[in-house]
Amino acid sequence: MRVVLLGPPGAGKGTQAQIIAGRLGVPAISTGDIFRANVSGQTELGQKAKTYMDAGDLVPDAITVAMVSDRLAEPDAKAGFLLDGFPRTIAQAEQLRDSLAEMGNVLDRCLELVVDEDELVRRLSGRRMLVDGEWVQRDDDKPETVRHRLEVYREQTAPLSGFYEQAGLLSRINAIGEIDEVTHRALEALGADEALADEPAED
Protein backbone atom coordinates (compact mmCIF):
# COMPACT_ATOMS: atom_id res chain seq x y z
CA MET A 1 0.00 0.00 0.00
CA ARG A 2 1.29 3.46 -0.96
CA VAL A 3 0.23 6.19 1.44
CA VAL A 4 0.91 9.90 2.01
CA LEU A 5 0.43 11.17 5.56
CA LEU A 6 -0.53 14.81 6.12
CA GLY A 7 -0.83 16.53 9.46
CA PRO A 8 -0.05 19.84 11.19
CA PRO A 9 2.71 20.27 13.79
CA GLY A 10 1.60 18.61 17.01
CA ALA A 11 -0.82 16.15 15.38
CA GLY A 12 1.40 13.18 16.24
CA LYS A 13 2.27 12.56 12.60
CA GLY A 14 5.77 11.21 13.24
CA THR A 15 4.51 8.74 15.84
CA GLN A 16 1.61 7.55 13.69
CA ALA A 17 3.83 7.26 10.60
CA GLN A 18 6.08 4.75 12.34
CA ILE A 19 3.22 2.74 13.86
CA ILE A 20 1.03 2.62 10.74
CA ALA A 21 3.95 1.74 8.48
CA GLY A 22 4.93 -1.03 10.89
CA ARG A 23 1.41 -2.44 10.88
CA LEU A 24 1.30 -2.31 7.07
CA GLY A 25 4.77 -3.83 6.74
CA VAL A 26 6.09 -0.96 4.61
CA PRO A 27 8.86 1.60 5.27
CA ALA A 28 8.01 4.98 6.80
CA ILE A 29 9.87 7.47 4.64
CA SER A 30 10.43 11.07 5.75
CA THR A 31 11.98 13.80 3.64
CA GLY A 32 14.23 14.68 6.58
CA ASP A 33 15.74 11.18 6.54
CA ILE A 34 16.12 11.31 2.75
CA PHE A 35 17.90 14.67 2.87
CA ARG A 36 20.25 13.52 5.64
CA ALA A 37 21.08 10.28 3.81
CA ASN A 38 21.86 12.09 0.55
CA VAL A 39 23.89 14.86 2.18
CA SER A 40 25.88 12.57 4.49
CA GLY A 41 26.35 10.06 1.66
CA GLN A 42 27.56 12.90 -0.58
CA THR A 43 25.39 11.76 -3.46
CA GLU A 44 25.17 14.00 -6.50
CA LEU A 45 21.67 15.11 -5.46
CA GLY A 46 22.82 15.55 -1.87
CA GLN A 47 25.67 17.82 -2.93
CA LYS A 48 23.29 19.91 -5.03
CA ALA A 49 20.82 20.16 -2.15
CA LYS A 50 23.57 21.15 0.27
CA THR A 51 24.55 24.18 -1.81
CA TYR A 52 21.01 25.55 -1.41
CA MET A 53 20.78 24.57 2.26
CA ASP A 54 24.14 26.18 3.08
CA ALA A 55 22.93 29.39 1.43
CA GLY A 56 19.75 29.28 3.51
CA ASP A 57 17.61 28.77 0.41
CA LEU A 58 14.82 26.24 -0.18
CA VAL A 59 15.91 23.18 -2.12
CA PRO A 60 14.18 23.25 -5.55
CA ASP A 61 11.33 20.80 -6.08
CA ALA A 62 13.19 19.05 -8.89
CA ILE A 63 15.99 17.99 -6.52
CA THR A 64 13.64 17.05 -3.69
CA VAL A 65 11.40 14.98 -5.96
CA ALA A 66 14.42 13.27 -7.54
CA MET A 67 15.70 12.23 -4.09
CA VAL A 68 12.27 10.97 -3.07
CA SER A 69 11.89 9.06 -6.35
CA ASP A 70 15.28 7.40 -5.84
CA ARG A 71 14.22 6.33 -2.34
CA LEU A 72 10.89 4.95 -3.57
CA ALA A 73 12.73 2.88 -6.18
CA GLU A 74 14.68 1.00 -3.49
CA PRO A 75 13.76 -2.67 -2.90
CA ASP A 76 12.12 -2.19 0.52
CA ALA A 77 9.59 0.25 -0.99
CA LYS A 78 8.57 -1.97 -3.91
CA ALA A 79 5.54 -3.35 -2.05
CA GLY A 80 4.55 0.03 -0.63
CA PHE A 81 5.54 2.93 1.58
CA LEU A 82 4.24 5.63 3.88
CA LEU A 83 5.48 9.13 3.03
CA ASP A 84 5.76 11.57 5.94
CA GLY A 85 6.50 15.21 5.15
CA PHE A 86 6.19 14.93 1.40
CA PRO A 87 4.63 16.28 -0.73
CA ARG A 88 4.22 19.76 0.76
CA THR A 89 2.82 21.53 -2.29
CA ILE A 90 0.54 20.70 -5.20
CA ALA A 91 3.52 20.95 -7.57
CA GLN A 92 5.33 18.27 -5.55
CA ALA A 93 2.16 16.14 -5.43
CA GLU A 94 1.87 16.29 -9.21
CA GLN A 95 5.52 15.36 -9.64
CA LEU A 96 5.13 12.48 -7.16
CA ARG A 97 2.13 11.22 -9.15
CA ASP A 98 4.15 11.37 -12.37
CA SER A 99 7.19 9.66 -10.81
CA LEU A 100 5.03 6.82 -9.49
CA ALA A 101 3.38 6.46 -12.90
CA GLU A 102 6.82 6.04 -14.49
CA MET A 103 7.42 3.18 -12.04
CA GLY A 104 4.05 1.68 -12.93
CA ASN A 105 2.56 2.57 -9.54
CA VAL A 106 -0.14 4.84 -8.13
CA LEU A 107 -0.80 6.35 -4.73
CA ASP A 108 -3.46 4.41 -2.82
CA ARG A 109 -4.48 6.88 -0.13
CA CYS A 110 -3.71 10.21 1.53
CA LEU A 111 -4.41 10.29 5.27
CA GLU A 112 -4.85 13.70 6.88
CA LEU A 113 -4.60 13.86 10.66
CA VAL A 114 -7.07 16.48 11.88
CA VAL A 115 -6.72 18.22 15.25
CA ASP A 116 -8.47 21.35 16.56
CA GLU A 117 -6.11 24.36 16.51
CA ASP A 118 -6.55 25.11 20.22
CA GLU A 119 -5.56 21.53 21.01
CA LEU A 120 -2.47 21.81 18.80
CA VAL A 121 -1.45 25.04 20.55
CA ARG A 122 -1.96 23.35 23.93
CA ARG A 123 0.15 20.36 22.92
CA LEU A 124 3.00 22.30 21.36
CA SER A 125 3.16 25.17 23.86
CA GLY A 126 3.19 22.60 26.66
CA ARG A 127 6.46 21.07 25.47
CA ARG A 128 9.58 21.74 27.52
CA MET A 129 13.27 20.93 27.15
CA LEU A 130 15.95 20.58 29.80
CA VAL A 131 18.57 23.34 29.73
CA ASP A 132 21.20 23.63 32.48
CA GLY A 133 19.05 21.59 34.82
CA GLU A 134 15.89 23.62 34.18
CA TRP A 135 12.83 22.86 32.03
CA VAL A 136 12.32 25.74 29.59
CA GLN A 137 10.02 26.43 26.66
CA ARG A 138 11.53 26.61 23.19
CA ASP A 139 10.99 29.90 21.35
CA ASP A 140 9.21 28.13 18.49
CA ASP A 141 6.79 26.52 20.97
CA LYS A 142 5.43 29.79 22.35
CA PRO A 143 1.67 30.10 21.67
CA GLU A 144 1.96 33.04 19.28
CA THR A 145 4.74 31.28 17.34
CA VAL A 146 2.79 28.03 17.25
CA ARG A 147 -0.26 29.78 15.80
CA HIS A 148 1.91 31.35 13.09
CA ARG A 149 3.39 27.92 12.25
CA LEU A 150 -0.12 26.50 11.98
CA GLU A 151 -1.18 29.40 9.74
CA VAL A 152 1.74 28.69 7.41
CA TYR A 153 0.87 24.98 7.44
CA ARG A 154 -2.75 25.74 6.52
CA GLU A 155 -1.67 27.95 3.64
CA GLN A 156 0.54 25.18 2.25
CA THR A 157 -1.62 22.17 3.06
CA ALA A 158 -5.22 23.27 2.45
CA PRO A 159 -4.66 23.21 -1.35
CA LEU A 160 -2.82 19.87 -1.04
CA SER A 161 -5.67 18.38 0.97
CA GLY A 162 -8.09 19.58 -1.70
CA PHE A 163 -5.89 18.14 -4.44
CA TYR A 164 -6.08 14.65 -2.96
CA GLU A 165 -9.75 15.01 -2.10
CA GLN A 166 -10.53 15.88 -5.73
CA ALA A 167 -8.57 12.79 -6.79
CA GLY A 168 -10.72 10.66 -4.47
CA LEU A 169 -7.72 9.67 -2.36
CA LEU A 170 -8.23 11.70 0.84
CA SER A 171 -9.31 10.32 4.21
CA ARG A 172 -9.48 12.73 7.14
CA ILE A 173 -8.73 11.15 10.52
CA ASN A 174 -9.66 12.56 13.93
CA ALA A 175 -6.23 12.62 15.60
CA ILE A 176 -7.48 13.47 19.10
CA GLY A 177 -7.39 10.58 21.57
CA GLU A 178 -5.06 7.82 22.64
CA ILE A 179 -2.34 6.83 20.18
CA ASP A 180 -3.82 3.38 19.54
CA GLU A 181 -7.27 4.90 18.94
CA VAL A 182 -5.88 7.20 16.24
CA THR A 183 -3.95 4.28 14.71
CA HIS A 184 -7.14 2.21 14.59
CA ARG A 185 -9.00 5.03 12.77
CA ALA A 186 -6.17 5.35 10.26
CA LEU A 187 -5.99 1.61 9.55
CA GLU A 188 -9.77 1.51 9.27
CA ALA A 189 -9.65 4.30 6.67
CA LEU A 190 -7.06 2.30 4.75
CA GLY A 191 -9.21 -0.82 4.95
CA ALA A 192 -6.26 -2.51 6.61
CA ASP A 193 -7.55 -3.13 10.13
CA GLU A 194 -9.68 -6.16 9.26
CA ALA A 195 -7.02 -7.65 6.99
CA LEU A 196 -4.43 -7.34 9.75
CA ALA A 197 -6.82 -8.80 12.30
CA ASP A 198 -7.25 -11.87 10.06
CA GLU A 199 -3.50 -12.52 9.89
CA PRO A 200 -2.24 -15.40 12.04
CA ALA A 201 -0.46 -14.31 15.20
CA GLU A 202 3.32 -14.61 15.21
CA ASP A 203 4.93 -17.14 17.55
Side-chain angles (χ1 to χ4, degrees), residues 3-7 13 16-17 20 82-85 111-113:
V3 181
V4 162
L5 187 64
L6 300 179
K13 191 158 55 73
Q16 288 298 331
I20 295 168
L82 188 148
L83 273 175
D84 171 14
L111 293 179
E112 182 178 9
L113 300 182

Side-chain angles (χ1 to χ4, degrees), residues 1 47 95-96 135 177 179 184 190-191 201:
M1 187 170 285
Q47 291 174 350
Q95 290 177 64
L96 172 63
W135 290 100
I179 290 174
H184 175 73
L190 294 172

Side-chain angles (χ1 to χ4, degrees), residues 27-114:
I29 299 172
S30 76
T31 45
D33 291 341
I34 292 174
F35 270 88
R36 284 188 288 273
N38 276 272
V39 172
S40 63
Q42 296 186 345
T43 67
E44 182 180 349
L45 288 170
Q47 291 174 350
K48 288 180 180 178
K50 192 172 185 298
T51 60
Y52 289 96
M53 294 160 68
D54 288 348
D57 295 328
L58 290 175
V59 178
D61 280 354
I63 295 175
T64 302
V65 173
M67 286 195 289
V68 171
S69 297
D70 284 351
R71 177 65 184 88
L72 297 184
E74 291 182 16
D76 68 332
K78 290 290 185 184
F81 54 78
L82 188 148
L83 273 175
D84 171 14
F86 181 91
R88 292 184 183 274
T89 64
I90 288 180
Q92 289 182 352
E94 291 173 338
Q95 290 177 64
L96 172 63
R97 177 194 61 201
D98 295 344
S99 293
L100 288 174
E102 289 174 8
M103 299 178 198
N105 295 323
V106 294
L107 192 69
D108 294 303
R109 182 62 50 184
C110 173
L111 293 179
E112 182 178 9
L113 300 182
V114 179

Side-chain angles (χ1 to χ4, degrees), residues 12-30:
K13 191 158 55 73
T15 299
Q16 288 298 331
Q18 294 297 325
I19 297 173
I20 295 168
R23 294 290 299 277
L24 295 175
V26 300
I29 299 172
S30 76

Side-chain angles (χ1 to χ4, degrees), residues 97-163:
R97 177 194 61 201
D98 295 344
S99 293
L100 288 174
E102 289 174 8
M103 299 178 198
N105 295 323
V106 294
L107 192 69
D108 294 303
R109 182 62 50 184
C110 173
L111 293 179
E112 182 178 9
L113 300 182
V114 179
V115 182
D116 176 80
E117 182 171 309
D118 289 339
E119 171 64 13
L120 291 172
V121 173
R122 185 191 68 77
R123 289 183 186 183
L124 293 172
S125 61
R127 297 193 302 191
R128 297 291 186 274
M129 61 181 180
L130 195 61
V131 177
D132 296 331
E134 292 186 17
W135 290 100
V136 298
Q137 185 179 47
R138 301 188 324 183
D139 286 342
D140 60 349
D141 282 343
K142 292 178 179 177
E144 61 274 20
T145 309
V146 169
R147 289 194 184 277
H148 176 68
R149 287 166 60 195
L150 294 176
E151 184 179 342
V152 171
Y153 175 82
R154 276 196 306 275
E155 290 174 356
Q156 292 180 336
T157 307
L160 191 57
S161 179
F163 173 84

